[in-house]
Amino acid sequence: MRVLITGGAGFIGSHLCDRFLRDGHRVVAMDNLITGSQDNIAHLAGNRSFEFIYHDVSNFIHVPGSVDAVLHFASPASPLDYLRYPIQTLKVGALGTHNALGHALAKGARFLLASTSEVYGDPLEHPQAESYAGNVDPVGPRGVYDEAKRYAEALVMAYHRQHQMDTRIVRIFNTYGPRMRLDDGRVVPNFIGQAIRGEALTVYGDGSQTRSFQYIDDLVEGVVRLLRSDFVEPVNIGTTREISILDLAKIVNRVADNRAAIVYADGSRIDGDPQTRRPDTSRAREALNWRPKVELEHGLEWTLDYFRSVLGHAR
């Protein structure tokens, strides 16, 4: 296949580039580098099966030649990023998805949308199954991301129904691993950065809020299986191991051998921060035969090694 990956220089997008190239496909990565980085794809320079196009997908998309699949992963994804770029986040969810769908339609390509567990908002149903419509505040600070993804899902299904397009939707739960930015504001790089520096880890509130953290390799495997499947409805990809933020801090300190304490800050870092988050992955197990394989402690060790190498290189 020849695959177009929007957001291809981002954390998840760059790992998808690696996977499709490793599987023998040709890859076109498209990114405007607002939150992505060419460092994430620098190792692919010189690969004759790889091409990078600097472009904002909120504008019209045209890739010469055949395209067999479009994976739309372009969007700010961390709270600090989409609060910094609220209008760009809404535009890439709406206009960017429309442009990517239009390009896939013109090329006769299969289309996969990267959606998010944020479509469930601060859930009143636990765990969250794909049938749950969510509890989202459209005018809250997180609404620019939540509603952009909800609209994108609706647009994908409209193209599927009206144009009989071959479409897929993946709802991604908290994912971590190499190539995250230490300053992107998400809890895993926050904790790892503090632990590497020997600082106390900062927990907001009492740390009882929960998340389910999956390693990047497990997510990529789920995305590839979904793209190859015939399943059209949204599919949760995430781990069912739910953990409190306080327990995560303790594990990071242990894995990093950080002797510093854990300190508490009032409230949440971002208003509207969900209190619980755990996917029902029955659909992924049944439709894709997918299950996460990487244990949290192992994934954190590999992520720590990555950040230590990055900081050592920077020094």
Coordinates of all heavy atoms in Angstrom, one line a residue, residues 126-192:
H126 N -19.2 3.6 33.6 CA -17.8 3.1 33.9 C -17.8 1.6 33.9 O -18.6 1.0 34.6 CB -17.3 3.7 35.2 CG -15.9 3.5 35.4 ND1 -14.9 4.2 34.7 CD2 -15.1 2.7 36.2 CE1 -13.7 3.9 35.1 NE2 -13.8 3.0 36.0
P127 N -17.0 0.9 33.1 CA -16.1 1.5 32.1 C -16.9 2.0 30.9 O -18.1 1.9 30.8 CB -15.2 0.3 31.7 CG -16.1 -0.9 31.9 CD -16.9 -0.6 33.1
Q128 N -16.1 2.7 30.0 CA -16.8 3.3 28.9 C -16.8 2.4 27.6 O -15.8 2.0 27.1 CB -16.1 4.6 28.5 CG -16.1 5.7 29.5 CD -15.0 5.5 30.6 OE1 -13.9 5.4 30.3 NE2 -15.5 5.3 31.9
A129 N -18.0 2.0 27.2 CA -18.2 1.2 26.0 C -18.5 2.2 24.8 O -18.9 3.3 25.1 CB -19.4 0.3 26.2
E130 N -18.3 1.7 23.6 CA -18.5 2.6 22.4 C -19.9 3.0 22.3 O -20.2 4.1 21.6 CB -18.0 1.8 21.2 CG -16.6 1.5 21.1 CD -16.1 0.2 21.7 OE1 -17.0 -0.4 22.5 OE2 -15.0 -0.2 21.5
S131 N -20.9 2.3 22.9 CA -22.3 2.7 22.8 C -22.6 3.9 23.7 O -23.6 4.6 23.6 CB -23.2 1.6 23.2 OG -22.8 1.1 24.5
Y132 N -21.7 4.3 24.7 CA -21.9 5.4 25.6 C -21.7 6.7 24.9 O -20.7 7.0 24.2 CB -21.0 5.3 26.8 CG -21.1 6.4 27.8 CD1 -22.3 6.8 28.3 CD2 -20.0 7.1 28.2 CE1 -22.4 7.8 29.2 CE2 -20.0 8.1 29.1 CZ -21.3 8.5 29.6 OH -21.4 9.6 30.5
A133 N -22.7 7.6 25.0 CA -22.7 8.9 24.2 C -21.9 9.9 24.9 O -21.6 11.0 24.3 CB -24.1 9.4 24.0
G134 N -21.5 9.7 26.1 CA -20.6 10.7 26.8 C -21.2 11.8 27.6 O -22.4 12.0 27.6
N135 N -20.4 12.5 28.3 CA -20.8 13.6 29.2 C -19.8 14.7 29.0 O -18.9 14.9 29.8 CB -20.8 13.1 30.7 CG -21.2 14.2 31.7 OD1 -22.0 15.0 31.4 ND2 -20.5 14.2 32.8
V136 N -20.0 15.5 28.0 CA -19.0 16.5 27.5 C -19.6 17.9 27.7 O -20.8 18.1 27.5 CB -18.7 16.3 26.0 CG1 -17.8 17.4 25.5 CG2 -18.0 14.9 25.8
D137 N -18.7 18.8 28.2 CA -19.1 20.2 28.4 C -18.6 20.9 27.1 O -17.4 21.1 27.0 CB -18.4 20.7 29.6 CG -18.7 22.2 29.8 OD1 -19.5 22.8 29.0 OD2 -18.1 22.8 30.8
P138 N -19.5 21.3 26.2 CA -19.0 21.9 25.0 C -18.4 23.3 25.1 O -17.7 23.7 24.2 CB -20.3 21.9 24.1 CG -21.4 22.0 25.1 CD -21.0 21.2 26.3
V139 N -18.7 24.0 26.2 CA -18.1 25.3 26.4 C -17.0 25.4 27.4 O -16.5 26.4 27.7 CB -19.2 26.3 26.7 CG1 -20.2 26.4 25.6 CG2 -19.9 26.0 28.0
G140 N -16.7 24.2 28.0 CA -15.5 24.2 28.9 C -14.2 24.3 28.2 O -14.2 24.1 26.9
P141 N -13.1 24.5 28.9 CA -11.8 24.6 28.2 C -11.4 23.4 27.4 O -10.6 23.5 26.4 CB -10.9 24.9 29.4 CG -11.5 24.4 30.6 CD -13.0 24.6 30.4
R142 N -11.8 22.2 27.8 CA -11.5 21.0 27.1 C -12.4 20.7 25.9 O -12.1 19.8 25.1 CB -11.5 19.8 28.0 CG -10.6 19.9 29.3 CD -10.8 18.7 30.2 NE -10.2 17.5 29.6 CZ -9.0 17.0 30.0 NH1 -8.3 17.6 31.0 NH2 -8.5 15.9 29.5
G143 N -13.5 21.5 25.8 CA -14.4 21.3 24.8 C -13.9 21.4 23.4 O -14.4 20.8 22.4
V144 N -12.9 22.3 23.2 CA -12.3 22.5 21.8 C -11.8 21.1 21.3 O -11.9 20.9 20.0 CB -11.2 23.5 21.8 CG1 -11.8 24.9 22.1 CG2 -10.1 23.2 22.7
Y145 N -11.2 20.3 22.1 CA -10.7 19.0 21.7 C -11.8 18.0 21.6 O -12.0 17.3 20.6 CB -9.6 18.6 22.6 CG -8.9 17.3 22.2 CD1 -8.2 17.2 21.0 CD2 -8.9 16.2 23.0 CE1 -7.5 16.0 20.6 CE2 -8.3 15.0 22.7 CZ -7.6 14.9 21.5 OH -7.0 13.8 21.1
D146 N -12.6 17.9 22.7 CA -13.7 16.9 22.8 C -14.6 17.0 21.6 O -15.0 16.1 21.0 CB -14.4 17.0 24.1 CG -13.5 16.9 25.3 OD1 -12.3 16.6 25.2 OD2 -14.0 17.1 26.5
E147 N -15.1 18.3 21.4 CA -16.1 18.5 20.4 C -15.6 18.4 19.0 O -16.2 18.0 18.0 CB -16.8 19.8 20.6 CG -17.6 19.9 21.9 CD -18.8 19.0 22.0 OE1 -19.0 18.1 21.0 OE2 -19.6 19.1 22.9
A148 N -14.3 18.7 18.8 CA -13.7 18.6 17.5 C -13.6 17.1 17.1 O -13.9 16.8 15.9 CB -12.2 19.1 17.5
K149 N -13.3 16.2 18.0 CA -13.3 14.8 17.8 C -14.7 14.2 17.6 O -14.9 13.3 16.8 CB -12.5 14.1 18.9 CG -11.0 14.4 18.9 CD -10.3 13.9 17.6 CE -8.8 14.0 17.7 NZ -8.1 13.6 16.5
R150 N -15.6 14.7 18.4 CA -17.0 14.2 18.2 C -17.6 14.6 16.9 O -18.2 13.8 16.2 CB -17.9 14.7 19.4 CG -17.6 14.1 20.7 CD -18.1 14.9 21.9 NE -19.5 14.9 21.9 CZ -20.3 14.1 22.6 NH1 -19.7 13.1 23.3 NH2 -21.6 14.2 22.7
Y151 N -17.3 15.8 16.4 CA -17.7 16.3 15.1 C -17.0 15.5 14.0 O -17.6 15.0 13.0 CB -17.4 17.8 14.9 CG -17.7 18.2 13.5 CD1 -19.0 18.6 13.2 CD2 -16.7 18.3 12.5 CE1 -19.3 19.0 11.9 CE2 -17.0 18.7 11.3 CZ -18.3 19.1 10.9 OH -18.6 19.5 9.7
A152 N -15.7 15.2 14.2 CA -15.0 14.4 13.2 C -15.6 13.0 13.1 O -15.7 12.5 11.9 CB -13.5 14.3 13.6
E153 N -16.0 12.4 14.2 CA -16.6 11.1 14.1 C -17.9 11.2 13.3 O -18.2 10.3 12.4 CB -16.9 10.5 15.5 CG -15.6 10.1 16.2 CD -16.0 9.2 17.4 OE1 -17.2 8.8 17.6 OE2 -15.1 9.0 18.3
A154 N -18.7 12.2 13.6 CA -20.0 12.3 12.8 C -19.7 12.5 11.4 O -20.5 12.0 10.5 CB -20.8 13.5 13.4
L155 N -18.7 13.3 11.0 CA -18.4 13.6 9.6 C -17.9 12.3 8.9 O -18.3 12.0 7.8 CB -17.3 14.6 9.5 CG -17.0 15.2 8.2 CD1 -18.2 15.9 7.6 CD2 -15.9 16.3 8.3
V156 N -17.1 11.5 9.6 CA -16.7 10.2 9.0 C -17.9 9.3 8.7 O -18.0 8.7 7.7 CB -15.7 9.5 10.0 CG1 -15.4 8.1 9.5 CG2 -14.4 10.3 10.0
M157 N -18.8 9.2 9.7 CA -19.9 8.3 9.5 C -20.9 8.9 8.4 O -21.5 8.1 7.6 CB -20.7 8.2 10.8 CG -19.9 7.4 11.8 SD -19.3 5.8 11.3 CE -20.8 4.9 10.9
A158 N -20.9 10.2 8.2 CA -21.7 10.8 7.1 C -21.1 10.4 5.8 O -21.9 10.1 4.8 CB -21.8 12.3 7.3
Y159 N -19.8 10.5 5.7 CA -19.1 10.1 4.4 C -19.4 8.6 4.2 O -19.6 8.2 3.0 CB -17.6 10.4 4.5 CG -17.3 11.7 3.9 CD1 -17.5 12.9 4.6 CD2 -16.7 11.8 2.6 CE1 -17.2 14.1 4.0 CE2 -16.3 13.1 2.1 CZ -16.6 14.2 2.8 OH -16.3 15.4 2.2
H160 N -19.3 7.8 5.2 CA -19.5 6.4 5.0 C -20.9 6.1 4.5 O -21.1 5.3 3.6 CB -19.3 5.7 6.4 CG -19.7 4.2 6.4 ND1 -19.0 3.2 5.7 CD2 -20.8 3.6 6.9 CE1 -19.6 2.1 5.9 NE2 -20.7 2.3 6.6
R161 N -21.9 6.8 5.1 CA -23.3 6.5 4.7 C -23.7 7.1 3.4 O -24.4 6.5 2.6 CB -24.2 7.0 5.8 CG -24.1 6.3 7.2 CD -25.0 6.9 8.2 NE -24.8 6.1 9.5 CZ -24.4 6.7 10.6 NH1 -24.2 8.0 10.6 NH2 -24.3 6.0 11.7
Q162 N -23.2 8.3 3.1 CA -23.6 9.0 1.9 C -22.8 8.5 0.7 O -23.3 8.4 -0.4 CB -23.5 10.5 2.0 CG -24.0 11.3 0.8 CD -24.2 12.7 1.0 OE1 -24.4 13.2 2.2 NE2 -24.1 13.5 0.0
H163 N -21.5 8.3 0.9 CA -20.6 8.0 -0.2 C -20.2 6.5 -0.2 O -19.4 6.1 -1.1 CB -19.4 8.9 -0.2 CG -19.7 10.3 -0.4 ND1 -20.2 10.8 -1.6 CD2 -19.5 11.4 0.4 CE1 -20.4 12.1 -1.4 NE2 -19.9 12.5 -0.2
Q164 N -20.7 5.7 0.8 CA -20.3 4.3 0.9 C -18.8 4.2 1.0 O -18.2 3.2 0.6 CB -20.8 3.5 -0.3 CG -22.3 3.3 -0.3 CD -23.0 4.5 -0.8 OE1 -22.7 5.0 -1.9 NE2 -24.0 5.0 -0.1
M165 N -18.2 5.2 1.7 CA -16.7 5.2 1.9 C -16.3 4.1 2.9 O -17.1 3.8 3.8 CB -16.2 6.5 2.4 CG -15.8 7.5 1.3 SD -14.9 8.9 2.0 CE -13.4 8.1 2.6
D166 N -15.2 3.5 2.7 CA -14.6 2.5 3.6 C -13.9 3.2 4.7 O -12.8 3.7 4.6 CB -13.7 1.6 2.8 CG -13.3 0.3 3.4 OD1 -14.0 0.0 4.5 OD2 -12.4 -0.4 3.0
T167 N -14.6 3.3 5.9 CA -14.0 4.1 7.0 C -13.9 3.3 8.2 O -14.5 2.3 8.4 CB -15.0 5.3 7.2 OG1 -16.3 4.8 7.6 CG2 -15.1 6.2 6.0
R168 N -13.0 3.8 9.1 CA -12.7 3.2 10.4 C -12.6 4.4 11.4 O -12.1 5.5 11.1 CB -11.4 2.4 10.5 CG -11.3 1.4 9.3 CD -12.3 0.2 9.6 NE -12.1 -0.8 8.5 CZ -12.8 -0.9 7.4 NH1 -13.7 0.1 7.2 NH2 -12.6 -1.8 6.5
I169 N -12.9 4.1 12.7 CA -12.8 5.1 13.8 C -12.2 4.4 15.0 O -12.7 3.4 15.5 CB -14.1 5.7 14.2 CG1 -14.8 6.5 13.0 CG2 -13.9 6.7 15.4 CD1 -16.2 7.0 13.3
V170 N -11.0 4.9 15.4 CA -10.4 4.4 16.6 C -10.5 5.4 17.7 O -10.1 6.6 17.5 CB -8.9 4.0 16.4 CG1 -8.1 5.1 15.9 CG2 -8.3 3.4 17.7
R171 N -11.0 5.0 18.9 CA -11.0 5.9 20.1 C -9.8 5.5 21.0 O -9.8 4.4 21.6 CB -12.3 5.7 20.8 CG -13.5 6.3 20.0 CD -14.8 6.1 20.7 NE -15.9 6.8 20.0 CZ -17.2 6.5 20.2 NH1 -17.6 5.7 21.2 NH2 -18.1 7.2 19.5
I172 N -8.9 6.4 21.0 CA -7.6 6.1 21.7 C -7.7 6.5 23.1 O -8.0 7.7 23.5 CB -6.5 6.9 21.0 CG1 -6.4 6.4 19.5 CG2 -5.1 6.7 21.7 CD1 -5.4 7.2 18.7
F173 N -7.3 5.6 24.0 CA -7.2 5.9 25.4 C -5.7 6.3 25.8 O -4.9 6.1 24.9 CB -7.7 4.7 26.3 CG -9.2 4.7 26.4 CD1 -10.0 4.4 25.3 CD2 -9.9 5.0 27.6 CE1 -11.4 4.4 25.4 CE2 -11.2 5.0 27.7 CZ -12.0 4.6 26.6
N174 N -5.5 6.8 27.0 CA -4.2 7.3 27.4 C -3.1 6.5 26.9 O -3.0 5.3 27.3 CB -4.2 7.5 28.9 CG -5.2 8.5 29.4 OD1 -6.4 8.2 29.4 ND2 -4.7 9.7 29.7
T175 N -2.2 7.0 26.1 CA -1.1 6.3 25.5 C 0.2 7.0 25.8 O 0.3 8.3 25.9 CB -1.2 6.2 24.0 OG1 -2.5 5.7 23.7 CG2 -0.1 5.4 23.3
Y176 N 1.3 6.3 26.1 CA 2.6 6.9 26.5 C 3.7 6.1 25.8 O 3.5 5.0 25.2 CB 2.8 6.8 28.0 CG 3.0 5.4 28.5 CD1 4.3 4.9 28.7 CD2 1.9 4.6 28.8 CE1 4.4 3.6 29.2 CE2 2.1 3.3 29.2 CZ 3.3 2.8 29.4 OH 3.5 1.5 29.8
G177 N 4.9 6.7 25.8 CA 6.0 6.0 25.2 C 7.0 7.0 24.6 O 6.9 8.2 24.8
P178 N 8.1 6.5 24.0 CA 9.1 7.3 23.4 C 8.5 8.3 22.4 O 7.5 8.0 21.7 CB 10.0 6.3 22.7 CG 9.9 5.0 23.5 CD 8.4 5.0 23.9
R179 N 9.1 9.4 22.3 CA 8.8 10.5 21.4 C 7.7 11.4 21.9 O 7.3 12.4 21.2 CB 8.4 10.0 20.0 CG 9.6 9.3 19.3 CD 9.2 8.8 17.9 NE 10.2 7.8 17.4 CZ 9.9 7.0 16.5 NH1 8.8 7.0 15.8 NH2 10.8 6.1 16.1
M180 N 7.2 11.2 23.1 CA 6.4 12.2 23.7 C 7.3 13.4 24.1 O 8.5 13.2 24.2 CB 5.7 11.7 25.0 CG 4.7 10.6 24.8 SD 3.9 10.1 26.4 CE 2.5 11.3 26.4
R181 N 6.7 14.6 24.2 CA 7.5 15.7 24.6 C 7.4 15.8 26.2 O 6.3 15.7 26.8 CB 6.9 17.0 24.0 CG 6.9 17.0 22.5 CD 6.6 18.4 22.0 NE 5.9 19.3 22.8 CZ 4.6 19.5 22.8 NH1 3.8 18.9 21.9 NH2 4.0 20.4 23.6
L182 N 8.6 16.1 26.8 CA 8.6 16.2 28.2 C 7.7 17.4 28.7 O 7.2 17.4 29.8 CB 10.0 16.5 28.7 CG 10.8 15.2 29.0 CD1 12.2 15.6 29.4 CD2 10.2 14.4 30.1
D183 N 7.5 18.4 27.8 CA 6.7 19.6 28.2 C 5.3 19.6 27.7 O 4.7 20.6 27.6 CB 7.5 20.9 27.8 CG 7.6 20.9 26.3 OD1 7.3 19.9 25.6 OD2 8.0 22.0 25.8
D184 N 4.8 18.4 27.3 CA 3.5 18.5 26.6 C 2.3 18.5 27.6 O 1.2 18.6 27.2 CB 3.3 17.3 25.6 CG 2.9 16.0 26.2 OD1 2.8 15.9 27.5 OD2 2.6 15.1 25.5
G185 N 2.6 18.4 28.9 CA 1.6 18.6 29.9 C 0.9 17.4 30.4 O 0.1 17.4 31.3
R186 N 1.1 16.2 29.7 CA 0.4 15.0 30.1 C 1.2 14.4 31.3 O 2.4 14.6 31.5 CB 0.3 14.1 29.0 CG -0.8 14.5 28.0 CD -0.9 13.6 26.8 NE 0.0 13.9 25.8 CZ -0.1 13.5 24.5 NH1 -1.1 12.7 24.1 NH2 0.8 13.8 23.6
V187 N 0.5 13.6 32.1 CA 0.9 13.1 33.4 C 2.2 12.3 33.3 O 3.1 12.4 34.1 CB -0.2 12.5 34.2 CG1 -0.6 11.2 33.5 CG2 0.2 12.2 35.6
V188 N 2.3 11.3 32.3 CA 3.4 10.5 32.3 C 4.7 11.2 32.0 O 5.7 11.1 32.7 CB 3.2 9.3 31.2 CG1 4.5 8.6 31.0 CG2 2.1 8.4 31.7
P189 N 4.8 12.1 30.9 CA 6.1 12.8 30.8 C 6.3 13.8 31.9 O 7.5 14.1 32.3 CB 5.9 13.6 29.4 CG 4.4 13.5 29.2 CD 3.9 12.3 29.8
N190 N 5.2 14.4 32.5 CA 5.4 15.2 33.7 C 6.2 14.5 34.8 O 7.2 15.0 35.3 CB 4.1 15.8 34.2 CG 3.5 16.9 33.4 OD1 4.2 17.4 32.5 ND2 2.3 17.3 33.7
F191 N 5.6 13.3 35.2 CA 6.2 12.5 36.2 C 7.6 12.1 35.9 O 8.5 12.2 36.7 CB 5.4 11.3 36.5 CG 4.1 11.6 37.4 CD1 3.2 10.6 37.5 CD2 3.9 12.8 37.9 CE1 2.0 10.9 38.3 CE2 2.8 13.1 38.7 CZ 1.8 12.1 38.9
I192 N 7.8 11.6 34.7 CA 9.1 11.1 34.3 C 10.2 12.2 34.3 O 11.3 12.1 34.8 CB 9.1 10.4 32.9 CG1 8.3 9.1 33.0 CG2 10.5 10.3 32.3 CD1 8.2 8.4 31.7

